[in-house]
Amino acid sequence: MANSQELRKRFLRKTKSQLVDEIKSLLDRITECQNPGEELERTEAQFRIALEYMPSGIRLIDKDRNYVFFNSQYCELYDFPEGLLKVGESFRVENLYQAQRGDFGPGDPEDLTAKWLAEWSGPKVTTNWERTIIGGKTLQVVTSLTPDGSIVNIVNDITERKRTEEALRQARNNLEKRVEERTRELTKEIAERKSAQAQIIQASKLSTLGEMATSVAHELNQPLNVIRLAAGNVLRKISKGNIEPEYLSGKLNRIEMQTERAAAIIDHMRMFGRKADETAAKIDPRTVISNALGLMGEQLRLLQIEVVTEIPEKCSSIMGHIIQMEQVIINLLTNARDAIENHHGEKKITVRIVGENGNVQITVEDTGGGIPENVIERVFEPFYTTKELGKGTGLGLSVSYGIIRDMNGSIEVENTGAGAKFTITLPTS
Amino acid sequence: MTKILCIEDDEIQRQEIVDALVTEGFEVLEANDGSSGLELILGERPELILCDRVMAGKSGYALLEELRENYPDTRDIPFLFLTALDHRKDKHAIVDLHPTAYITKPVDIASLIDTIRELTEAD
């Protein structure tokens, strides 16, 4: 027969649930045993040692709700004074004690007792609840109703676990709060940066618009010239008294068409000057090139700069703001124009669109002699300019760089020998 | 009938100028760039050349330069520039080549006709 030392070791190696199962089995055996003898004594000894050495508090009360057993851990957990609980007496004593101590708050302990008694007679055989008693200790109490109507309570001190859980909850809350605060700060920073960037883009655009004023004057001069000539011809015919209705309607139609052309140029200028919408949209790169050349073409023609376009019949769309994209192309065309004007040689700008590997490449190549190698690395820096004072803001290429980067693309520059070549690579939408 | 050569690469503008000149009773030859204009100058000997300054291909500026350098016998043909440029530097560039006159776009037909009549001494 195993001595008490061995039994203790054996029980300590078992898990709580194993021990509970074993205790229940022992209880069953005790109940079923018709002839108490040596075996019963032995198992009872095992049972008592087991219960005594369990880290949990154990209480057993019979169907009349009198104590059958409680271990010392049970009394320690509740801080009951020695001798308060007595086998064979009613469990009410501990309720009364706890009520007087203030564990239950205000209220009649008899009501609580009655409530528990009602619960224990109900269909639910196991309850699990937590309670904080005087002194701040939190106890977890598992109550099981046995088939014979007895009540087994297993009590554990979960104060530390609760503290840890609370600390974790606090830490998590703090972390969430800090993350929220940081997110708010970041959102604000991003909004501020976006706003600053939008202002720079707008300032640069207005500067581009200013530079384009001459160009637009030339663009408008074309339709104005036709209108003036056509109107002059009509007036002269009328003064000579030999005007035919067909001649007159032909001239008026021509005048109408030219006013539409002039209005389209002005509309586009107005649109270019407006602030960009927040949302990006699908853009056809060919439209961008065509619009930019619509604003710059006549100026380049008057400067006798040949513009060659190599644009495919079909082209994938890109995502972005069309006006900003036009601004980039106009910046590149303006730079090319200035380089060509200050360089003796061929006067040619080639604008090319190539689609490959899910990207669209737009190149603007000039014959302006190229960018000196010692400054080529710096051309995308803000406020960096090689132009004479008052000619450029030094923002054009920097802003273009920002616009293209925001479209998840890249812009690069290289010298070709004859001039500079800017290559914009953008993902297709 | 006074024969005038109109060199202008923009077809609509050319049509209007030709229309104005024809209405005024001039005989008009047309060219759309400097090269075809030169051929007509040498072949038809117009009494006045009305030429746009900036054109695709050979510009009016290049044509006048060529006439002054290579065809001195054309110097007596009045050369009237049509130009959209009003920049002083460009005016000097034009004047340096000794055109007879220039007209700024948008063109006022009355001024154009008066100038042509003055230069050709046509009625």
Side-chain angles (χ1 to χ4, degrees):
Chain A
M1 184 176 161
N3 62 28
S4 62
Q5 198 70 18
E6 283 169 336
L7 281 171
R8 187 179 176 213
K9 280 182 186 168
R10 195 193 303 164
F11 284 119
L12 284 175
R13 279 198 296 272
K14 293 185 178 177
T15 64
K16 197 188 284 181
S17 63
Q18 283 173 325
L19 286 170
V20 170
D21 288 345
E22 199 154 328
I23 289 163
K24 283 180 177 170
S25 156
L26 285 166
L27 282 167
D28 289 345
R29 282 165 68 184
I30 290 162
T31 312
E32 287 163 9
C33 190
Q34 298 298 317
N35 185 18
E38 197 178 305
E39 174 64 14
L40 186 57
E41 279 175 23
R42 190 176 68 81
T43 52
E44 190 183 343
Q46 284 178 334
F47 157 72
R48 287 190 180 280
I49 291 164
L51 295 180
E52 203 50 54
Y53 278 90
M54 274 187 72
S56 308
I58 307 287
R59 179 186 74 173
L60 174 67
I61 48 179
D62 62 19
K63 62 180 187 323
D64 298 324
R65 305 308 172 227
N66 296 321
Y67 292 110
V68 176
F69 174 82
F70 48 86
N71 65 2
S72 51
Q73 183 68 0
Y74 182 82
C75 296
E76 273 177 37
L77 284 171
Y78 278 104
D79 292 326
F80 290 144
E82 205 178 328
L84 178 72
L85 278 54
K86 290 187 178 71
V87 170
E89 290 189 1
S90 169
F91 86 107
R92 280 185 167 82
V93 66
E94 64 179 88
N95 280 5
L96 194 62
Y97 180 82
Q98 284 192 81
Q100 282 169 353
R101 193 169 63 182
D103 284 355
F104 306 138
D108 188 346
E110 283 304 321
D111 289 347
L112 193 66
T113 306
K115 183 183 155 224
W116 287 347
L117 287 172
E119 267 180 26
W120 295 340
S121 63
K124 202 171 180 184
V125 292
T126 304
T127 59
N128 185 348
W129 50 271
E130 290 170 9
R131 202 178 66 189
T132 301
I133 61 169
I134 278 294
K137 196 186 279 182
T138 305
L139 301 177
Q140 182 194 48
V141 184
V142 178
T143 304
S144 299
L145 190 62
T146 66
D148 75 335
S150 298
I151 297 290
V152 182
N153 295 102
I154 301 167
V155 184
N156 284 299
D157 185 350
I158 56 167
T159 312
E160 267 312 305
R161 200 184 84 196
K162 280 284 163 191
R163 271 196 203 124
T164 310
E165 279 174 6
E166 179 58 20
L168 274 172
R169 196 183 63 79
Q170 284 281 356
R172 197 176 57 234
N173 283 350
N174 286 342
L175 191 66
E176 277 173 9
K177 212 171 159 186
R178 276 166 57 195
V179 168
E180 265 175 32
E181 275 172 18
R182 189 67 193 128
T183 307
R184 256 199 310 275
E185 283 170 17
L186 277 173
T187 311
K188 197 177 157 204
E189 277 174 31
I190 290 166
E192 283 172 358
R193 201 172 303 165
K194 266 191 168 179
S195 162
Q197 202 181 1
Q199 281 174 14
I200 291 173
I201 289 174
Q202 185 65 6
S204 165
K205 197 163 66 181
L206 293 177
S207 155
T208 308
L209 207 53
E211 281 184 33
M212 279 162 48
T214 318
S215 180
V216 171
H218 289 308
E219 292 293 338
L220 286 173
N221 214 32
Q222 293 282 85
L224 280 179
N225 193 36
V226 175
I227 290 165
R228 194 170 190 186
L229 284 168
N233 278 328
V234 169
L235 288 170
R236 288 183 86 79
K237 284 267 186 190
I238 290 170
S239 70
K240 288 177 190 296
N242 62 347
I243 191 158
E244 298 291 327
E246 291 78 21
Y247 179 89
L248 183 61
S249 65
K251 293 295 178 193
L252 290 175
N253 278 335
R254 179 164 280 178
I255 288 170
E256 192 183 22
M257 279 174 67
Q258 296 301 313
T259 52
E260 277 174 15
R261 185 180 161 190
I265 293 166
I266 291 165
D267 271 355
H268 197 88
M269 282 290 285
R270 202 161 34 210
M271 191 172 77
F272 189 82
R274 271 206 308 260
K275 280 192 175 175
D277 290 340
E278 281 296 313
T279 47
K282 275 188 177 183
I283 310 171
D284 185 337
R286 293 170 304 175
T287 311
V288 173
I289 302 298
S290 148
N291 287 352
L293 287 175
L295 289 175
M296 292 281 293
E298 183 61 11
Q299 186 191 37
L300 297 173
R301 193 182 79 85
L302 291 173
L303 290 166
Q304 297 196 282
I305 296 170
E306 183 191 358
V307 179
V308 178
T309 53
E310 293 176 17
I311 292 171
E313 274 186 27
K314 284 185 182 175
C315 184
S316 304
S317 304
I318 49 177
M319 285 299 284
H321 306 279
I322 189 159
I323 296 297
Q324 288 188 0
M325 196 59 211
E326 272 178 36
Q327 189 182 352
V328 172
I329 301 301
I330 287 170
N331 280 336
L332 297 184
L333 290 174
T334 308
N335 279 347
R337 175 203 68 192
D338 292 346
I340 289 171
E341 267 200 293
N342 294 320
H343 181 73
H344 294 291
E346 193 186 10
K347 294 179 168 188
K348 188 164 98 175
I349 298 174
T350 308
V351 184
R352 216 175 270 119
I353 297 179
V354 181
E356 56 179 21
N357 303 328
N359 286 324
V360 171
Q361 273 197 345
I362 304 171
T363 57
V364 177
E365 192 176 339
D366 65 58
T367 53
I371 301 165
E373 288 299 332
N374 60 330
V375 301
I376 199 164
E377 296 289 324
R378 301 188 59 196
V379 293
F380 295 112
E381 290 178 18
F383 304 109
Y384 185 79
T385 179
T386 56
K387 294 177 186 174
E388 61 190 84
L389 198 65
K391 194 92 204 288
T393 57
L395 279 176
L397 284 178
S398 159
V399 166
S400 300
Y401 183 88
I403 291 171
I404 298 299
R405 185 200 52 209
D406 286 352
M407 292 168 73
N408 297 320
S410 65
I411 177 166
E412 288 166 355
V413 60
E414 62 184 306
N415 282 324
T416 58
K421 179 178 166 186
F422 285 85
T423 304
I424 297 167
T425 307
L426 288 161
T428 55
S429 63
Chain B
M1 202 183 277
T2 308
K3 195 194 289 180
I4 294 172
L5 171 62
C6 176
I7 312 171
E8 164 68 67
D9 63 341
D10 185 293
E11 195 184 345
I12 296 175
Q13 294 186 57
R14 193 174 67 243
Q15 280 174 9
E16 289 299 334
I17 292 166
V18 170
D19 189 10
L21 298 176
V22 170
T23 304
E24 294 303 319
F26 295 104
E27 180 189 349
V28 187
L29 304 169
E30 293 180 52
N32 63 2
D33 70 355
S35 302
S36 53
L38 181 62
E39 279 179 30
L40 286 170
I41 292 165
L42 300 178
E44 299 282 338
R45 302 298 292 190
E47 287 154 82
L48 182 136
I49 302 160
L50 179 61
C51 181
D52 191 19
R53 197 189 78 87
V54 179
M55 289 179 290
K58 183 179 279 186
S59 70
Y61 190 85
L63 172 65
L64 183 55
E65 215 169 26
E66 193 171 348
L67 288 175
R68 295 294 181 253
E69 276 178 31
N70 302 334
Y71 305 98
D73 59 324
T74 61
R75 188 172 274 275
D76 61 336
I77 305 175
F79 197 102
L80 183 55
F81 254 138
L82 288 171
T83 177
L85 298 181
D86 50 3
H87 195 278
R88 184 179 291 180
K89 195 174 95 179
D90 294 305
K91 280 184 182 171
H92 286 167
I94 294 167
V95 172
D96 285 348
L97 285 168
H98 306 293
T100 316
Y102 60 86
I103 295 262
T104 308
K105 292 181 183 179
V107 175
D108 170 38
I109 289 180
S111 306
L112 176 69
I113 300 298
D114 288 348
T115 308
I116 290 173
R117 286 197 200 285
E118 190 67 31
L119 293 172
T120 57
E121 293 174 355
D123 293 331

